[in-house]
Amino acid sequence: MRFKSIVFAAIAILCAACSNMEYDISEGINKELTLFEDEISVPLGSIGPLTIGSTLNGVSKLEGLGGMVAEYIKQDADGNLILDASGDIFRINIYELEKRLGDVSTAQTWNSGFQMGYIGGMASLLGYINLKAVNQKIVVSASNPLYVNVPASCDASATCMGAGGITSTRIEGLDNFTMPGGSTKELLTIALPEEITDPVAYISLSNLTLDLPANPLSKVSDKNGNLFFAFSYYFSCGIAVGENFSIPVSDLSINSADVAIGKYRLKKCQFTVDLESTIPLSVNISNIRAVKPPKEDGSQEVDENIVITGDVTVPGGSEEKPASTTITLSVEALEGTIPDISGMLVDLNLSAGSDLGDVALCADQGLYVKSSSARITGGITIPQE
């Protein structure tokens, strides 16, 4: 039977009793009635989910590195959180190249020596806030301004720097290759070994050689277009949590709360809710405050009449191994009864979960209410009109 029907039935029984003078409660009796003092389960509505994706907006407002990283975090097609960067490893104008070659009357092999491209963006800062780079990927591209193919070769490597020191990984596939005439082409894509979690700091091309034709300037594909021999990179990585990671977020807004309890006219109650976490982080939620419906300008203010007590600590989990926990919150209206709660402000602290390994962060990972009902204890009070 639906809860509303139960309440209506109880009120009907009460009214019937009052029609009999033997049960007259009009004089000297407290007219408030408390039903179901032990426990009853009622619909709670929904809370959240509080996902990593929805939290990023709050984190981005933090001062310092935490806010900087959140500002540059992107989502790939699968919802994974990634950092990426692109840039040049080496580039030289064809006019400058001919000047360096000197005599260009015959074909020759030109050795540009050692070339290096530093990885830009925020990935290099991950270690400073105890985050790890996972699923690291590098795409190397080459640009050829001539209309003829140019054979080339080099010894390429990616160098990672972090708490574990300096690690270099050889990039296979660039020992001998061809730069197609008049185009920019991706030469290769490599994925770094899973055990490497320090971010790539730079990509190097040692002994980069180009087999050039005679009079290369005369073979430029478009003198009003690209005039550069260039090697560039695109780098991306997922984000995982390091052992010492910890970041606090104050006044995080949860606008997706929809706790429709005003109709039950509760003065005080306790909610017991089963939560499930797929975030590879330990989550502590404290200082929970109900907020009033947004004003016309979108601003919100805390409902000081509603007091919510009880902190929430949820252990880290993953989509393969969700973590479950039970929390109890007490909600009280200082005056009148508890209205519908459409939004909340909370303080949040995220720290590393235990025994989860390097789980990549995803926007859909979050805290979920496992059911749409909650157990309310302490009774439902029907106040005097």
Side-chain angles (χ1 to χ4, degrees):
M1 181 182 293
R2 296 185 53 153
F3 178 75
K4 183 161 66 173
S5 300
I6 296 176
V7 173
F8 286 164
I11 294 174
I13 294 171
L14 176 62
C15 292
C18 290
S19 66
N20 190 323
M21 292 305 294
E22 295 182 23
Y23 303 100
D24 187 3
I25 59 172
S26 60
E27 299 292 337
I29 302 294
N30 186 349
K31 297 182 182 179
E32 293 185 341
L33 176 68
T34 299
L35 304 176
F36 316 114
E37 292 189 54
D38 293 331
E39 184 177 281
I40 186 171
S41 179
V42 299
L44 176 65
S46 61
I47 302 178
L50 179 60
T51 64
I52 290 180
S54 65
T55 305
L56 280 178
N57 184 48
V59 176
S60 66
K61 297 175 183 176
L62 295 176
E63 296 182 0
L65 289 177
M68 292 172 65
V69 169
E71 182 179 350
Y72 287 93
I73 288 176
K74 299 179 181 178
Q75 296 182 35
D76 65 14
D78 296 322
N80 298 309
L81 304 187
I82 64 168
L83 294 173
D84 66 354
S86 59
D88 287 327
I89 304 172
F90 169 68
R91 65 191 287 117
I92 187 170
N93 187 288
I94 185 63
Y95 290 96
E96 173 66 20
L97 178 56
E98 277 215 356
K99 193 179 296 184
R100 293 191 189 185
L101 291 173
D103 183 7
V104 294
S105 60
T106 60
Q108 59 184 295
T109 297
W110 178 65
N111 191 325
S112 69
F114 179 82
Q115 305 297 335
M116 183 168 58
Y118 284 96
I119 302 297
M122 302 300 299
S124 60
L125 299 177
L126 288 179
Y128 293 98
I129 54 174
N130 296 303
L131 292 173
K132 298 180 180 181
V134 296
N135 304 324
Q136 299 190 75
K137 183 178 73 172
I138 299 170
V139 180
V140 178
S141 300
S143 180
N144 176 8
L146 309 185
Y147 60 74
V148 296
N149 293 343
V150 174
S153 66
C154 71
D155 183 10
S157 63
T159 299
C160 302
M161 300 178 66
I166 300 176
T167 305
S168 289
T169 301
R170 192 170 188 276
I171 299 176
E172 304 287 349
L174 294 181
D175 296 338
N176 292 284
F177 58 95
T178 298
M179 302 173 67
S183 67
T184 298
K185 178 186 177 182
E186 290 186 4
L187 298 176
L188 55 77
T189 299
I190 68 162
L192 268 61
E194 292 183 3
E195 61 269 18
I196 298 179
T197 57
D198 289 331
V200 174
Y202 59 86
I203 299 168
S204 58
L205 307 178
S206 300
N207 292 315
L208 173 61
T209 62
L210 305 179
D211 293 338
L212 298 169
N215 301 305
L217 187 55
S218 67
K219 297 176 176 60
V220 170
S221 176
D222 180 1
K223 290 190 177 181
N224 294 317
N226 175 42
L227 297 177
F228 288 87
F229 281 104
F231 291 85
S232 59
Y233 73 84
Y234 170 78
F235 168 80
S236 68
C237 69
I239 306 166
V241 179
E243 296 176 357
N244 298 316
F245 176 83
S246 179
I247 188 167
V249 183
S250 298
D251 295 332
L252 177 64
S253 178
I254 305 177
N255 292 319
S256 57
D258 181 21
V259 185
I261 59 174
K263 59 188 175 183
Y264 303 131
R265 308 183 68 187
L266 307 172
K267 287 186 174 180
K268 182 177 181 180
C269 62
Q270 283 187 332
F271 293 112
T272 301
V273 181
D274 293 327
L275 282 180
E276 184 174 270
S277 173
T278 57
I279 305 177
L281 297 165
S282 176
V283 181
N284 178 260
I285 302 174
S286 59
N287 192 20
I288 305 172
R289 290 144 289 162
V291 295
K292 297 178 180 179
K295 299 179 180 178
E296 290 185 3
D297 61 1
S299 62
Q300 291 179 299
E301 61 177 293
V302 174
D303 190 340
E304 302 290 352
N305 187 53
I306 304 302
V307 178
I308 304 176
T309 56
D311 293 345
V312 178
T313 299
V314 184
S318 66
E319 293 181 280
E320 292 75 21
K321 277 182 69 176
S324 297
T325 190
T326 300
I327 63 170
T328 300
L329 296 177
S330 175
V331 182
E332 180 179 6
L334 299 180
E335 296 182 2
T337 59
I338 303 170
D340 292 345
I341 298 175
S342 59
M344 290 182 283
L345 288 178
V346 303
D347 292 344
L348 189 73
N349 188 77
L350 305 174
S351 58
S354 58
D355 303 324
L356 292 173
D358 298 330
V359 180
L361 297 181
C362 175
D364 291 336
Q365 293 168 341
L367 298 178
Y368 299 86
V369 177
K370 293 172 63 176
S371 64
S372 60
S373 64
R375 293 184 298 275
I376 295 180
T377 59
I380 297 175
T381 301
I382 300 176
Q384 178 180 357
E385 291 293 340

PDB file of all heavy atoms in Angstrom, residues 316-346:
ATOM      1  N   GLY A 316      36.402   3.699  -1.214  1.00  0.00           N
ATOM      2  CA  GLY A 316      36.587   3.692  -2.657  1.00  0.00           C
ATOM      3  C   GLY A 316      36.120   2.398  -3.300  1.00  0.00           C
ATOM      4  O   GLY A 316      36.185   1.322  -2.713  1.00  0.00           O
ATOM      5  N   GLY A 317      35.628   2.503  -4.528  1.00  0.00           N
ATOM      6  CA  GLY A 317      35.189   1.338  -5.284  1.00  0.00           C
ATOM      7  C   GLY A 317      35.487   1.535  -6.755  1.00  0.00           C
ATOM      8  O   GLY A 317      36.117   2.516  -7.163  1.00  0.00           O
ATOM      9  N   SER A 318      35.028   0.627  -7.577  1.00  0.00           N
ATOM     10  CA  SER A 318      35.194   0.724  -9.017  1.00  0.00           C
ATOM     11  C   SER A 318      33.959   0.131  -9.678  1.00  0.00           C
ATOM     12  O   SER A 318      33.109  -0.465  -8.999  1.00  0.00           O
ATOM     13  CB  SER A 318      36.454  -0.008  -9.485  1.00  0.00           C
ATOM     14  OG  SER A 318      36.313  -1.406  -9.269  1.00  0.00           O
ATOM     15  N   GLU A 319      33.846   0.287 -10.992  1.00  0.00           N
ATOM     16  CA  GLU A 319      32.685  -0.270 -11.685  1.00  0.00           C
ATOM     17  C   GLU A 319      32.693  -1.789 -11.621  1.00  0.00           C
ATOM     18  O   GLU A 319      31.638  -2.422 -11.621  1.00  0.00           O
ATOM     19  CB  GLU A 319      32.670   0.225 -13.130  1.00  0.00           C
ATOM     20  CG  GLU A 319      32.411   1.727 -13.216  1.00  0.00           C
ATOM     21  CD  GLU A 319      32.363   2.235 -14.637  1.00  0.00           C
ATOM     22  OE1 GLU A 319      33.443   2.439 -15.226  1.00  0.00           O
ATOM     23  OE2 GLU A 319      31.248   2.428 -15.159  1.00  0.00           O
ATOM     24  N   GLU A 320      33.893  -2.375 -11.547  1.00  0.00           N
ATOM     25  CA  GLU A 320      33.987  -3.824 -11.407  1.00  0.00           C
ATOM     26  C   GLU A 320      33.762  -4.272  -9.963  1.00  0.00           C
ATOM     27  O   GLU A 320      33.201  -5.337  -9.711  1.00  0.00           O
ATOM     28  CB  GLU A 320      35.375  -4.316 -11.867  1.00  0.00           C
ATOM     29  CG  GLU A 320      35.641  -4.167 -13.358  1.00  0.00           C
ATOM     30  CD  GLU A 320      35.920  -2.715 -13.750  1.00  0.00           C
ATOM     31  OE1 GLU A 320      36.304  -1.917 -12.858  1.00  0.00           O
ATOM     32  OE2 GLU A 320      35.747  -2.378 -14.939  1.00  0.00           O
ATOM     33  N   LYS A 321      34.182  -3.451  -8.991  1.00  0.00           N
ATOM     34  CA  LYS A 321      34.032  -3.777  -7.567  1.00  0.00           C
ATOM     35  C   LYS A 321      33.428  -2.583  -6.835  1.00  0.00           C
ATOM     36  O   LYS A 321      34.132  -1.861  -6.145  1.00  0.00           O
ATOM     37  CB  LYS A 321      35.393  -4.130  -6.959  1.00  0.00           C
ATOM     38  CG  LYS A 321      35.826  -5.558  -7.167  1.00  0.00           C
ATOM     39  CD  LYS A 321      37.170  -5.807  -6.486  1.00  0.00           C
ATOM     40  CE  LYS A 321      37.017  -5.760  -4.968  1.00  0.00           C
ATOM     41  NZ  LYS A 321      38.310  -6.108  -4.285  1.00  0.00           N
ATOM     42  N   PRO A 322      32.100  -2.357  -6.975  1.00  0.00           N
ATOM     43  CA  PRO A 322      31.482  -1.230  -6.269  1.00  0.00           C
ATOM     44  C   PRO A 322      31.603  -1.412  -4.755  1.00  0.00           C
ATOM     45  O   PRO A 322      31.570  -2.536  -4.244  1.00  0.00           O
ATOM     46  CB  PRO A 322      30.019  -1.293  -6.714  1.00  0.00           C
ATOM     47  CG  PRO A 322      30.017  -2.114  -7.967  1.00  0.00           C
ATOM     48  CD  PRO A 322      31.132  -3.101  -7.804  1.00  0.00           C
ATOM     49  N   ALA A 323      31.761  -0.313  -4.059  1.00  0.00           N
ATOM     50  CA  ALA A 323      31.798  -0.327  -2.598  1.00  0.00           C
ATOM     51  C   ALA A 323      30.449   0.116  -2.066  1.00  0.00           C
ATOM     52  O   ALA A 323      29.886   1.106  -2.535  1.00  0.00           O
ATOM     53  CB  ALA A 323      32.905   0.587  -2.087  1.00  0.00           C
ATOM     54  N   SER A 324      29.925  -0.616  -1.105  1.00  0.00           N
ATOM     55  CA  SER A 324      28.611  -0.289  -0.538  1.00  0.00           C
ATOM     56  C   SER A 324      28.765   0.150   0.905  1.00  0.00           C
ATOM     57  O   SER A 324      29.648  -0.324   1.630  1.00  0.00           O
ATOM     58  CB  SER A 324      27.676  -1.506  -0.614  1.00  0.00           C
ATOM     59  OG  SER A 324      27.436  -1.859  -1.958  1.00  0.00           O
ATOM     60  N   THR A 325      27.921   1.070   1.313  1.00  0.00           N
ATOM     61  CA  THR A 325      27.932   1.514   2.702  1.00  0.00           C
ATOM     62  C   THR A 325      26.542   2.014   3.069  1.00  0.00           C
ATOM     63  O   THR A 325      25.742   2.359   2.194  1.00  0.00           O
ATOM     64  CB  THR A 325      28.971   2.632   2.924  1.00  0.00           C
ATOM     65  OG1 THR A 325      29.121   2.890   4.315  1.00  0.00           O
ATOM     66  CG2 THR A 325      28.553   3.920   2.242  1.00  0.00           C
ATOM     67  N   THR A 326      26.244   2.023   4.349  1.00  0.00           N
ATOM     68  CA  THR A 326      24.957   2.515   4.846  1.00  0.00           C
ATOM     69  C   THR A 326      25.199   3.765   5.666  1.00  0.00           C
ATOM     70  O   THR A 326      26.075   3.778   6.533  1.00  0.00           O
ATOM     71  CB  THR A 326      24.261   1.453   5.707  1.00  0.00           C
ATOM     72  OG1 THR A 326      24.034   0.280   4.911  1.00  0.00           O
ATOM     73  CG2 THR A 326      22.927   1.962   6.224  1.00  0.00           C
ATOM     74  N   ILE A 327      24.433   4.810   5.396  1.00  0.00           N
ATOM     75  CA  ILE A 327      24.597   6.055   6.130  1.00  0.00           C
ATOM     76  C   ILE A 327      23.277   6.421   6.794  1.00  0.00           C
ATOM     77  O   ILE A 327      22.205   6.025   6.352  1.00  0.00           O
ATOM     78  CB  ILE A 327      25.043   7.214   5.204  1.00  0.00           C
ATOM     79  CG1 ILE A 327      23.970   7.498   4.142  1.00  0.00           C
ATOM     80  CG2 ILE A 327      26.366   6.898   4.540  1.00  0.00           C
ATOM     81  CD1 ILE A 327      24.227   8.754   3.361  1.00  0.00           C
ATOM     82  N   THR A 328      23.392   7.170   7.870  1.00  0.00           N
ATOM     83  CA  THR A 328      22.212   7.648   8.584  1.00  0.00           C
ATOM     84  C   THR A 328      22.334   9.146   8.781  1.00  0.00           C
ATOM     85  O   THR A 328      23.344   9.631   9.300  1.00  0.00           O
ATOM     86  CB  THR A 328      22.074   6.950   9.953  1.00  0.00           C
ATOM     87  OG1 THR A 328      21.952   5.538   9.755  1.00  0.00           O
ATOM     88  CG2 THR A 328      20.850   7.461  10.691  1.00  0.00           C
ATOM     89  N   LEU A 329      21.335   9.873   8.348  1.00  0.00           N
ATOM     90  CA  LEU A 329      21.294  11.319   8.512  1.00  0.00           C
ATOM     91  C   LEU A 329      20.046  11.700   9.299  1.00  0.00           C
ATOM     92  O   LEU A 329      18.982  11.130   9.101  1.00  0.00           O
ATOM     93  CB  LEU A 329      21.259  12.023   7.154  1.00  0.00           C
ATOM     94  CG  LEU A 329      22.464  11.853   6.236  1.00  0.00           C
ATOM     95  CD1 LEU A 329      22.207  12.552   4.907  1.00  0.00           C
ATOM     96  CD2 LEU A 329      23.721  12.417   6.881  1.00  0.00           C
ATOM     97  N   SER A 330      20.207  12.687  10.171  1.00  0.00           N
ATOM     98  CA  SER A 330      19.075  13.212  10.923  1.00  0.00           C
ATOM     99  C   SER A 330      18.695  14.561  10.330  1.00  0.00           C
ATOM    100  O   SER A 330      19.559  15.415  10.101  1.00  0.00           O
ATOM    101  CB  SER A 330      19.440  13.376  12.402  1.00  0.00           C
ATOM    102  OG  SER A 330      18.383  13.993  13.111  1.00  0.00           O
ATOM    103  N   VAL A 331      17.399  14.737  10.046  1.00  0.00           N
ATOM    104  CA  VAL A 331      16.899  15.982   9.466  1.00  0.00           C
ATOM    105  C   VAL A 331      15.829  16.541  10.405  1.00  0.00           C
ATOM    106  O   VAL A 331      14.906  15.832  10.790  1.00  0.00           O
ATOM    107  CB  VAL A 331      16.305  15.747   8.064  1.00  0.00           C
ATOM    108  CG1 VAL A 331      15.842  17.063   7.458  1.00  0.00           C
ATOM    109  CG2 VAL A 331      17.322  15.069   7.154  1.00  0.00           C
ATOM    110  N   GLU A 332      15.967  17.817  10.737  1.00  0.00           N
ATOM    111  CA  GLU A 332      15.028  18.432  11.691  1.00  0.00           C
ATOM    112  C   GLU A 332      14.657  19.831  11.238  1.00  0.00           C
ATOM    113  O   GLU A 332      15.506  20.594  10.755  1.00  0.00           O
ATOM    114  CB  GLU A 332      15.650  18.501  13.084  1.00  0.00           C
ATOM    115  CG  GLU A 332      14.730  19.131  14.130  1.00  0.00           C
ATOM    116  CD  GLU A 332      15.360  19.169  15.509  1.00  0.00           C
ATOM    117  OE1 GLU A 332      16.563  18.818  15.625  1.00  0.00           O
ATOM    118  OE2 GLU A 332      14.661  19.564  16.469  1.00  0.00           O
ATOM    119  N   ALA A 333      13.365  20.152  11.365  1.00  0.00           N
ATOM    120  CA  ALA A 333      12.894  21.514  11.132  1.00  0.00           C
ATOM    121  C   ALA A 333      12.815  22.215  12.481  1.00  0.00           C
ATOM    122  O   ALA A 333      12.130  21.754  13.397  1.00  0.00           O
ATOM    123  CB  ALA A 333      11.527  21.503  10.460  1.00  0.00           C
ATOM    124  N   LEU A 334      13.545  23.313  12.656  1.00  0.00           N
ATOM    125  CA  LEU A 334      13.520  24.026  13.928  1.00  0.00           C
ATOM    126  C   LEU A 334      12.137  24.612  14.194  1.00  0.00           C
ATOM    127  O   LEU A 334      11.685  24.673  15.333  1.00  0.00           O
ATOM    128  CB  LEU A 334      14.575  25.134  13.921  1.00  0.00           C
ATOM    129  CG  LEU A 334      16.031  24.655  13.743  1.00  0.00           C
ATOM    130  CD1 LEU A 334      16.977  25.840  13.756  1.00  0.00           C
ATOM    131  CD2 LEU A 334      16.404  23.647  14.822  1.00  0.00           C
ATOM    132  N   GLU A 335      11.460  25.036  13.137  1.00  0.00           N
ATOM    133  CA  GLU A 335      10.091  25.525  13.232  1.00  0.00           C
ATOM    134  C   GLU A 335       9.274  24.886  12.122  1.00  0.00           C
ATOM    135  O   GLU A 335       9.741  24.726  10.996  1.00  0.00           O
ATOM    136  CB  GLU A 335      10.031  27.051  13.099  1.00  0.00           C
ATOM    137  CG  GLU A 335      10.724  27.799  14.217  1.00  0.00           C
ATOM    138  CD  GLU A 335      10.601  29.301  14.076  1.00  0.00           C
ATOM    139  OE1 GLU A 335       9.929  29.739  13.110  1.00  0.00           O
ATOM    140  OE2 GLU A 335      11.162  30.024  14.905  1.00  0.00           O
ATOM    141  N   GLY A 336       8.031  24.520  12.428  1.00  0.00           N
ATOM    142  CA  GLY A 336       7.166  23.923  11.428  1.00  0.00           C
ATOM    143  C   GLY A 336       7.626  22.521  11.051  1.00  0.00           C
ATOM    144  O   GLY A 336       8.124  21.770  11.891  1.00  0.00           O
ATOM    145  N   THR A 337       7.450  22.183   9.780  1.00  0.00           N
ATOM    146  CA  THR A 337       7.802  20.844   9.314  1.00  0.00           C
ATOM    147  C   THR A 337       8.832  20.925   8.189  1.00  0.00           C
ATOM    148  O   THR A 337       9.082  21.995   7.629  1.00  0.00           O
ATOM    149  CB  THR A 337       6.552  20.097   8.810  1.00  0.00           C
ATOM    150  OG1 THR A 337       5.958  20.837   7.733  1.00  0.00           O
ATOM    151  CG2 THR A 337       5.533  19.926   9.940  1.00  0.00           C
ATOM    152  N   ILE A 338       9.387  19.781   7.868  1.00  0.00           N
ATOM    153  CA  ILE A 338      10.441  19.718   6.852  1.00  0.00           C
ATOM    154  C   ILE A 338       9.821  19.845   5.460  1.00  0.00           C
ATOM    155  O   ILE A 338       8.938  19.069   5.101  1.00  0.00           O
ATOM    156  CB  ILE A 338      11.203  18.384   6.952  1.00  0.00           C
ATOM    157  CG1 ILE A 338      11.782  18.205   8.359  1.00  0.00           C
ATOM    158  CG2 ILE A 338      12.316  18.318   5.906  1.00  0.00           C
ATOM    159  CD1 ILE A 338      12.348  16.816   8.609  1.00  0.00           C
ATOM    160  N   PRO A 339      10.274  20.796   4.651  1.00  0.00           N
ATOM    161  CA  PRO A 339       9.745  20.931   3.291  1.00  0.00           C
ATOM    162  C   PRO A 339      10.456  19.966   2.344  1.00  0.00           C
ATOM    163  O   PRO A 339      11.373  19.241   2.737  1.00  0.00           O
ATOM    164  CB  PRO A 339      10.098  22.382   2.939  1.00  0.00           C
ATOM    165  CG  PRO A 339      11.398  22.609   3.660  1.00  0.00           C
ATOM    166  CD  PRO A 339      11.280  21.826   4.958  1.00  0.00           C
ATOM    167  N   ASP A 340      10.025  19.947   1.082  1.00  0.00           N
ATOM    168  CA  ASP A 340      10.785  19.222   0.060  1.00  0.00           C
ATOM    169  C   ASP A 340      12.183  19.829  -0.024  1.00  0.00           C
ATOM    170  O   ASP A 340      12.363  21.043   0.080  1.00  0.00           O
ATOM    171  CB  ASP A 340      10.114  19.337  -1.314  1.00  0.00           C
ATOM    172  CG  ASP A 340       8.786  18.593  -1.375  1.00  0.00           C
ATOM    173  OD1 ASP A 340       8.537  17.766  -0.474  1.00  0.00           O
ATOM    174  OD2 ASP A 340       8.008  18.850  -2.312  1.00  0.00           O
ATOM    175  N   ILE A 341      13.173  18.962  -0.184  1.00  0.00           N
ATOM    176  CA  ILE A 341      14.560  19.423  -0.297  1.00  0.00           C
ATOM    177  C   ILE A 341      14.997  19.264  -1.746  1.00  0.00           C
ATOM    178  O   ILE A 341      15.105  18.149  -2.263  1.00  0.00           O
ATOM    179  CB  ILE A 341      15.485  18.623   0.646  1.00  0.00           C
ATOM    180  CG1 ILE A 341      15.052  18.844   2.101  1.00  0.00           C
ATOM    181  CG2 ILE A 341      16.936  19.040   0.451  1.00  0.00           C
ATOM    182  CD1 ILE A 341      15.832  18.013   3.102  1.00  0.00           C
ATOM    183  N   SER A 342      15.210  20.391  -2.409  1.00  0.00           N
ATOM    184  CA  SER A 342      15.552  20.356  -3.829  1.00  0.00           C
ATOM    185  C   SER A 342      17.033  20.561  -4.098  1.00  0.00           C
ATOM    186  O   SER A 342      17.494  20.373  -5.219  1.00  0.00           O
ATOM    187  CB  SER A 342      14.747  21.427  -4.587  1.00  0.00           C
ATOM    188  OG  SER A 342      15.041  22.710  -4.058  1.00  0.00           O
ATOM    189  N   GLY A 343      17.781  20.950  -3.104  1.00  0.00           N
ATOM    190  CA  GLY A 343      19.208  21.162  -3.301  1.00  0.00           C
ATOM    191  C   GLY A 343      19.945  21.164  -1.981  1.00  0.00           C
ATOM    192  O   GLY A 343      19.345  21.378  -0.912  1.00  0.00           O
ATOM    193  N   MET A 344      21.243  20.900  -2.037  1.00  0.00           N
ATOM    194  CA  MET A 344      22.060  20.874  -0.832  1.00  0.00           C
ATOM    195  C   MET A 344      23.432  21.457  -1.126  1.00  0.00           C
ATOM    196  O   MET A 344      23.898  21.462  -2.264  1.00  0.00           O
ATOM    197  CB  MET A 344      22.206  19.448  -0.307  1.00  0.00           C
ATOM    198  CG  MET A 344      20.938  18.851   0.283  1.00  0.00           C
ATOM    199  SD  MET A 344      21.183  17.177   0.929  1.00  0.00           S
ATOM    200  CE  MET A 344      21.204  16.238  -0.606  1.00  0.00           C
ATOM    201  N   LEU A 345      24.082  21.932  -0.092  1.00  0.00           N
ATOM    202  CA  LEU A 345      25.491  22.287  -0.124  1.00  0.00           C
ATOM    203  C   LEU A 345      26.229  21.336   0.795  1.00  0.00           C
ATOM    204  O   LEU A 345      25.742  21.022   1.892  1.00  0.00           O
ATOM    205  CB  LEU A 345      25.713  23.720   0.341  1.00  0.00           C
ATOM    206  CG  LEU A 345      25.288  24.863  -0.581  1.00  0.00           C
ATOM    207  CD1 LEU A 345      25.556  26.205   0.095  1.00  0.00           C
ATOM    208  CD2 LEU A 345      26.037  24.790  -1.907  1.00  0.00           C
ATOM    209  N   VAL A 346      27.393  20.860   0.363  1.00  0.00           N
ATOM    210  CA  VAL A 346      28.174  19.943   1.185  1.00  0.00           C
ATOM    211  C   VAL A 346      29.643  20.319   1.096  1.00  0.00           C
ATOM    212  O   VAL A 346      30.089  20.974   0.153  1.00  0.00           O
ATOM    213  CB  VAL A 346      27.984  18.469   0.738  1.00  0.00           C
ATOM    214  CG1 VAL A 346      26.528  18.066   0.778  1.00  0.00           C
ATOM    215  CG2 VAL A 346      28.572  18.234  -0.653  1.00  0.00           C
TER     216      VAL A 346
END
